[in-house]
Amino acid sequence: MLPQKQGEEAIVASFNESETEGGGGGNKDEVSDLQSSAVSMKSFLWHGGSAYDAWFSCASNQVAQVLLTLPYSFSQLGMLSGIILQIFYGILGSWTAYLISVLYIEYRSRKEKENVSFKNHVIQWFEVLDGLLGPYWKAVGLAFNCTFLLFGSVIQLIACASNIYYINDRLDKRTWTYIFGACCATTVFIPSFHNYRIWSFLGLGMTTYTAWYLTIASVVHGQVEGVTHTGPKKLVLYFTGATNILYTFGGHAVTVEIMHAMWKPQKFKYIYLLATLYVFTLTLPSASAVYWAFGDELLTHSNAFSLLPKDGFRDAAVILMLIHQFITFGFACTPLYFVWEKVIGMHDTKSICLRALARLPVVVPIWFLAIIFPFFGPINSAVGALLVSFTVYVIPAAAHMLTYRKASARQNAVEKPPFFLPSWTAMYVLNAFVVVWVLVVGFGLGGWASVTNFVRQVDTFGLFAKCYQCPKPVVAHSPLPQPHH
């Protein structure tokens, strides 16, 4: 039985006990009613494990600050390439999320046949790799996944500082990073993905508002005078933009944790694809509209908010994105919290406060890195090329091929090939294509372009940049002294 389901049944059992113990006393019935309503409200807001919860988590986690950098990517790629690559990487990302879900189900079913209990234990991707392919794969998966999630959290902090600056520029972006680092540290109190129900729902609503604000505001604003759309004009910029899109649809480094929080993880199969289809309705219109309106100006403005006129609608979008980035920070950090808890032997601890205290050392290096490298757009592309390419695309496809390389493994597989690709050979070919494509285009060309661009930013702005891509202050010229007569 799944741990989450046991938890739900425990709630029901405790409610039933309070009902039976109530007997016939009116006061006891009233107390019982109050207790049951409190439990049901807590369950509604806090205990999410349905397929809908998983869909909200996947969709909410995919589109955060990337919404604001996709127009920047379009300026590097051009309109046509931007649209085609979004669709291509969205489908590719959905396929590898499906592979991860298959491997999770395979691993879990094998372990449960050995009577292994996962009560008070959250299964993670590196453990799936360890159980199916051995310790070397565990080490590789752990290294790439943790590094990706670390920098994913760093990006959220940078994005928070970058966004709030457009509402209040009295403080520089570095100071805002200090402030939001402290705010985001409070995510240590959220136990697991099982408790993100209301946050995922709100987060997706916030990004939906922001995406449509970007679209409508750009159309209403119209094209700037003398707008040009010259992209793509440099290979470095082209592949930098392409890897940012690869990163956009590579948000499933937390897929296993989201699945484990489900009451019935078998239902996850196509949830990521459905989430991606919804995400397309947000990313394609907003990126296209902003690029249409501002064109090549975006090459020096990686955050779309910086070009739109300041008004109440923009301020509302900024505030909603800030809240959502706090949620996404928690999404990216929670698997790191789990790994750290397991390392120091605190993962089974039931006290939320003790676990929160143990998790705090994870936040410090994230805070520090966000202050060192405050480069919003370029760091997205670098993370996409060097980390997402392996974590999200290459490793799942290669792991699936190796797990089912033997006829016996294919025959005893818990999950058979999907209805739209019923042959194991066809799956092998598709997985091989994913590995080769991402290694050559994503990691190879994308890595070269992203690192080149990233180094340029460091050379231009320096490490610990106080206010990255901030407008230069206007220096007031003092009047010329009047001649004495």
Side-chain angles (χ1 to χ4, degrees), residues 415-430:
E415 293 281 342
K416 302 299 181 185
F419 70 91
F420 57 87
L421 204 69
S423 161
W424 284 102
T425 305
M427 285 194 77
Y428 190 95
V429 170
L430 180 54

Side-chain angles (χ1 to χ4, degrees), residues 51 54-56 58-59 62 86-99 101 249 252 255 267-281 418-420:
W55 182 85
F56 276 113
C58 288
Q62 262 192 64
Q86 271 204 49
I87 295 169
F88 175 71
Y89 281 124
I91 293 169
L92 213 62
S94 299
W95 172 251
T96 53
Y98 168 78
L99 297 179
S101 72
F249 296 98
H252 44 288
T255 298
K267 290 186 175 182
F268 186 86
K269 285 183 193 175
Y270 306 116
I271 284 175
Y272 198 89
L273 175 62
L274 295 174
T276 300
L277 293 176
Y278 180 78
V279 167
F280 281 152
T281 69
F419 70 91
F420 57 87

Side-chain angles (χ1 to χ4, degrees), residues 93-236:
S94 299
W95 172 251
T96 53
Y98 168 78
L99 297 179
I100 291 172
S101 72
V102 168
L103 294 172
Y104 168 85
I105 296 296
E106 184 69 37
Y107 166 78
R108 183 154 187 171
S109 63
R110 289 185 189 182
K111 287 296 180 184
E112 286 178 345
K113 285 176 185 175
E114 299 169 10
N115 295 319
V116 175
S117 172
F118 293 109
K119 188 176 183 180
N120 296 327
H121 182 93
V122 177
I123 298 172
Q124 294 189 267
W125 177 228
F126 69 89
E127 293 169 320
V128 173
L129 292 173
D130 184 28
L132 297 177
L133 297 172
Y136 291 112
W137 278 84
K138 173 187 176 181
V140 170
L142 186 61
F144 274 104
N145 217 39
C146 287
T147 312
F148 167 41
L149 291 169
L150 179 77
F151 278 98
S153 305
V154 168
I155 288 168
Q156 300 310 317
L157 275 189
I158 297 170
C160 284
S162 178
N163 290 344
I164 191 65
Y165 183 79
Y166 297 117
I167 290 182
N168 184 339
D169 58 4
R170 289 191 292 275
L171 298 177
D172 58 75
K173 291 182 183 179
R174 188 168 67 194
T175 304
W176 280 120
T177 305
Y178 293 137
I179 294 168
F180 278 99
C183 294
C184 289
T186 57
T187 56
V188 296
F189 289 100
I190 302 176
S192 73
F193 285 99
H194 195 53
N195 311 112
Y196 269 96
R197 164 175 280 183
I198 191 66
W199 296 115
S200 298
F201 177 77
L202 291 174
L204 191 58
M206 292 166 187
T207 48
T208 300
Y209 171 87
T210 303
W212 286 108
Y213 158 74
L214 291 172
T215 306
I216 295 166
S218 298
V219 172
V220 170
H221 181 278
Q223 291 185 310
V224 294
E225 189 177 347
V227 66
T228 54
H229 300 86
T230 56
K233 59 181 179 180
K234 290 182 180 178
L235 280 177
V236 170

Side-chain angles (χ1 to χ4, degrees), residues 147-441:
T147 312
F148 167 41
L149 291 169
L150 179 77
F151 278 98
S153 305
V154 168
I155 288 168
Q156 300 310 317
L157 275 189
I158 297 170
C160 284
S162 178
N163 290 344
I164 191 65
Y165 183 79
Y166 297 117
I167 290 182
N168 184 339
D169 58 4
R170 289 191 292 275
L171 298 177
D172 58 75
K173 291 182 183 179
R174 188 168 67 194
T175 304
W176 280 120
T177 305
Y178 293 137
I179 294 168
F180 278 99
C183 294
C184 289
T186 57
T187 56
V188 296
F189 289 100
I190 302 176
S192 73
F193 285 99
H194 195 53
N195 311 112
Y196 269 96
R197 164 175 280 183
I198 191 66
W199 296 115
S200 298
F201 177 77
L202 291 174
L204 191 58
M206 292 166 187
T207 48
T208 300
Y209 171 87
T210 303
W212 286 108
Y213 158 74
L214 291 172
T215 306
I216 295 166
S218 298
V219 172
V220 170
H221 181 278
Q223 291 185 310
V224 294
E225 189 177 347
V227 66
T228 54
H229 300 86
T230 56
K233 59 181 179 180
K234 290 182 180 178
L235 280 177
V236 170
L237 293 178
Y238 187 86
F239 286 108
T240 301
T243 49
N244 187 38
I245 292 180
L246 177 140
Y247 170 80
T248 303
F249 296 98
H252 44 288
V254 295
T255 298
V256 170
E257 288 84 359
I258 291 173
M259 282 188 72
H260 191 80
M262 293 179 70
W263 300 318
K264 295 180 180 178
Q266 296 85 351
K267 290 186 175 182
F268 186 86
K269 285 183 193 175
Y270 306 116
I271 284 175
Y272 198 89
L273 175 62
L274 295 174
T276 300
L277 293 176
Y278 180 78
V279 167
F280 281 152
T281 69
L282 306 181
T283 57
L284 288 169
S286 61
S288 302
V290 178
Y291 179 53
W292 168 82
F294 298 100
D296 291 347
E297 281 189 34
L298 285 158
L299 289 169
T300 53
H301 296 79
S302 54
N303 189 326
F305 281 146
S306 63
L307 290 172
L308 289 163
K310 181 176 173 58
D311 57 24
F313 293 110
R314 194 194 75 164
D315 288 352
V318 171
I319 292 166
L320 291 177
M321 283 304 289
L322 285 171
I323 300 169
H324 185 259
Q325 277 152 353
F326 166 80
I327 298 166
T328 310
F329 182 93
F331 265 101
C333 254
T334 299
L336 293 176
Y337 295 152
F338 293 156
V339 172
W340 178 246
E341 287 170 357
K342 291 170 185 176
V343 168
I344 63 174
M346 294 283 286
H347 190 57
D348 294 334
T349 305
K350 292 183 179 179
S351 168
I352 291 177
C353 291
L354 273 178
R355 288 178 72 183
L357 196 62
R359 291 171 169 189
L360 277 176
V362 177
V363 180
V364 176
I366 294 168
W367 206 350
F368 190 60
L369 286 168
I371 294 163
I372 298 176
F373 303 114
F375 313 124
F376 189 44
I379 201 172
N380 276 7
S381 300
V383 168
L386 304 178
L387 299 172
V388 176
S389 56
F390 281 94
T391 303
V392 168
Y393 299 95
V394 173
I395 292 175
H400 190 274
M401 288 192 288
L402 289 173
T403 299
Y404 298 108
R405 66 190 182 278
K406 294 179 180 177
S408 58
R410 294 192 293 272
Q411 188 175 353
N412 298 319
V414 179
E415 293 281 342
K416 302 299 181 185
F419 70 91
F420 57 87
L421 204 69
S423 161
W424 284 102
T425 305
M427 285 194 77
Y428 190 95
V429 170
L430 180 54
N431 287 338
F433 167 77
V434 171
V435 171
V436 172
W437 175 274
V438 175
L439 278 177
V440 174
V441 178

